[in-house]
Amino acid sequence: MTLRRAIALLLLIGGVAMQGCANVKPWERETLAEPAMQLDSNPTVSSCDDHIYFSREASKGGRGFGGGGCGCN
Amino acid sequence: MLRTACIGIALLVAAASARAAKVGAAAPDFSLTSRDGKQSALSGHKGKVLLINFWASWCAPCADELPELNQLAIDERGKEVGVIAINVDKDSGKARALLSQLNLESPALEILWDPDSKAVAAYNPETMPSSFVVDAGGIIRFVHAGFHDRDPKTWRKELKDLLGSPEKAPPGSASPPSHS
């Protein structure tokens, strides 16, 4: 009974917490694309890494070039 | 109880991953304002093979792709082909600034504004930029997620195939979507 209550409580807390989650569509990521939104301690190194990925995989953006988290490409 | 919960979760996942515009489906119609302030609708391009692209000023690959799309529009001029670039910015000023920066103040491709996200929501692209190649019958034949160096060559081949025999063109996705 106690376990059931604990599970119910967890589900309730999880349900309430998930109210804050939102699915941001690709075309709604303008704010996320701003450089200030980027979780990156060293943008220069990341930029070099991106260049390497571009050279090897011929794809652009997605991790720094497009801005923080815009999800471009 | 558990079964109901599983079904509920499955339905939620299915709803979240629902895509409005798929290969083989009819291209959703739209009516948007063009750069010169006129209304332009998909239905107004009936009988043409179309490449419909969605782009934004804040999307870095879009800035690489737009000149290629404009070149495509120049190359396909005089044929029954339309190249439409739909901008999804809320503020068209930023988009105009980017076009100016790219020397595309008077582009060959058709630029349309979608500040209310009506058209883009109907097509529901997986990523920015995305392009939909639509045959003369208004059916989506190819979807390109993102922009890759091989894309300009692929667009030309797809348009040529659809112009040659629209009814025989095999539906399929030309470029696998890539995610970041």
Side-chain angles (χ1 to χ4, degrees):
Chain A
M1 191 63 184
T2 314
L3 184 65
R4 278 191 174 185
R5 280 188 180 177
I7 291 170
L9 187 65
L10 276 174
L11 284 173
L12 183 70
I13 292 169
V16 170
M18 282 178 72
Q19 296 294 312
C21 297
N23 184 12
V24 182
K25 294 286 186 182
W27 58 90
E28 297 171 332
R29 294 178 183 162
E30 182 172 2
T31 307
L32 291 171
E34 288 176 11
M37 295 295 282
Q38 199 160 352
L39 291 169
D40 194 348
S41 58
N42 199 334
T44 311
V45 171
S46 298
S47 180
C48 289
D49 285 348
D50 279 329
H51 183 74
I52 292 165
Y53 284 127
F54 168 63
S55 304
R56 288 185 171 181
E57 299 176 13
S59 62
K60 296 178 185 178
R63 207 175 69 87
F65 279 165
C70 81
C72 302
N73 220 359
Chain B
M1 180 68 181
L2 187 64
R3 184 183 288 181
T4 313
C6 287
I7 291 169
I9 290 168
L11 284 172
L12 281 173
V13 170
S17 61
R19 292 177 205 161
K22 282 183 181 174
V23 170
D29 197 8
F30 54 77
S31 180
L32 300 169
T33 310
S34 66
R35 283 177 61 255
D36 51 9
K38 291 177 183 169
Q39 283 296 114
S40 180
L42 179 69
S43 49
H45 293 82
K46 214 170 184 180
K48 280 186 179 179
V49 176
L50 299 173
L51 189 147
I52 302 169
N53 172 265
F54 290 95
W55 65 284
S57 65
W58 42 264
C59 153
C62 301
D64 293 331
E65 186 182 40
L66 281 168
E68 296 289 348
L69 285 169
N70 194 53
Q71 189 57 50
L72 177 73
I74 292 167
D75 294 346
E76 300 295 325
R77 203 176 264 168
K79 299 177 190 170
E80 286 298 304
V81 171
V83 182
I84 302 171
I86 300 177
N87 175 260
V88 301
D89 283 59
K90 302 287 176 205
D91 171 18
S92 68
K94 290 178 185 174
R96 287 177 199 275
L98 177 65
L99 290 173
S100 177
Q101 191 186 318
L102 296 171
N103 293 320
L104 293 174
E105 288 97 342
S106 302
L109 77 164
E110 186 176 357
I111 304 275
L112 300 177
W113 309 123
D114 187 20
D116 301 322
S117 306
K118 286 178 185 170
V120 72
Y123 282 77
N124 201 9
E126 284 181 35
T127 186
M128 295 294 294
S130 280
S131 297
F132 297 81
V133 179
V134 179
D135 70 16
I139 304 296
I140 296 171
R141 292 293 184 178
F142 303 96
V143 178
H144 295 265
F147 175 60
H148 307 87
D149 287 351
R150 63 177 178 272
D151 284 348
K153 198 176 171 185
T154 314
W155 298 333
R156 283 170 174 79
K157 186 186 179 305
E158 290 167 358
L159 294 175
K160 192 179 173 189
D161 288 350
L162 291 176
L163 276 172
S165 55
E167 71 283 355
K168 288 177 187 171
S173 185
S175 86
S178 60
H179 302 279
S180 54

